[in-house]
């Protein structure tokens, strides 16, 4: 048996990488899919280079017999996809959950929404947190300090 320290070393630190990210190109009817907030999702790299989001959705047979299958929800935008791509290529463990849903009947004139949250090891973010050298050497003049104002004058009665 290993010590508690060895047991903790086996687990990665899970921190929010992308706290709230919209899913674009929604491919399911949210109100009929059985999707709920807190449901697990899976992110996969697709052949066209985008990051696809998959979850367990309801797809009944002949609209009567219930059946649950892994279904494609949509894809992430280009920036969120860039952030997640290194982790997906390395096979890192990510925790992806649905955090907000706006089904079609509640969206009104707007579009339905699915928002997800991605948690994982923050070390996958280091390429995006590094500031390029060109921006580190810029000499910016400090902003001028605001002038001290005199005491407010009293208003005279009319």
């Amino acid at each position: 048996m290993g010590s508690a320290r060895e047991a903790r070393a086996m687990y990665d630190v899970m921190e929010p990488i992308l706290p709230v990210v919209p899913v674009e190109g929604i491919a399911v009817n949210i109100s009929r899919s059985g999707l709920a907030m807190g449901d697990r999702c899976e992110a996969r790299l697709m052949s066209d280079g985008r990051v696809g989001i998959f979850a367990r959705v309801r797809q009944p047979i002949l609209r009567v017999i219930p059946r649950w299958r892994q279904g494609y929800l949509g894809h992430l935008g280009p920036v969120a996809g860039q952030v997640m791509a290194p982790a997906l290529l390395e096979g890192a463990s990510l925790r992806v959950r649905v955090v907000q849903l706006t089904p079609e009947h509640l969206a009104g004139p707007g579009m339905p929404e699915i928002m997800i949250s991605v948690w994982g090891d923050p070390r996958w973010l280091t390429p995006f947190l590094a500031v390029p050298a060109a921006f580190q050497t810029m000499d910016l003049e400090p902003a001028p300090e605001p002038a001290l104002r005199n005491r407010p004058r009293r208003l005279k009665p009319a």
Side-chain angles (χ1 to χ4, degrees), residues 135 137-145:
F135 294 109
T137 59
M138 290 176 53
D139 293 327
L140 298 176
E141 296 179 17
E145 293 184 20

Side-chain angles (χ1 to χ4, degrees), residues 18-117:
L18 299 168
V20 178
V21 181
V23 176
E24 297 178 359
I26 297 174
V28 296
N29 186 319
I30 299 171
S31 55
R32 292 183 185 156
S33 67
L35 200 60
M37 289 189 287
D39 283 356
R40 293 180 182 181
C41 296
E42 183 181 341
R44 297 183 203 158
L45 280 175
M46 299 190 324
S47 59
D48 59 358
R50 294 184 294 187
V51 176
I53 303 298
F54 296 82
R56 189 170 175 244
V57 294
R58 184 174 50 218
Q59 294 178 341
I61 301 171
L62 301 173
R63 296 187 180 192
V64 177
I65 303 168
R67 176 178 67 166
W68 292 88
R69 299 187 113 184
Q70 194 77 359
Y72 173 72
L73 299 180
H75 60 274
L76 296 182
V79 175
Q82 252 186 347
V83 171
M84 287 188 62
L88 292 173
L89 287 172
E90 293 294 323
S93 61
L94 297 172
R95 179 184 182 266
V96 183
R97 299 285 192 268
V98 175
V99 292
Q100 182 179 343
L101 290 169
T102 306
E104 291 80 4
H105 66 281
L106 294 178
M111 297 295 292
E113 289 183 326
I114 300 175
M115 304 285 233
I116 62 166
S117 168

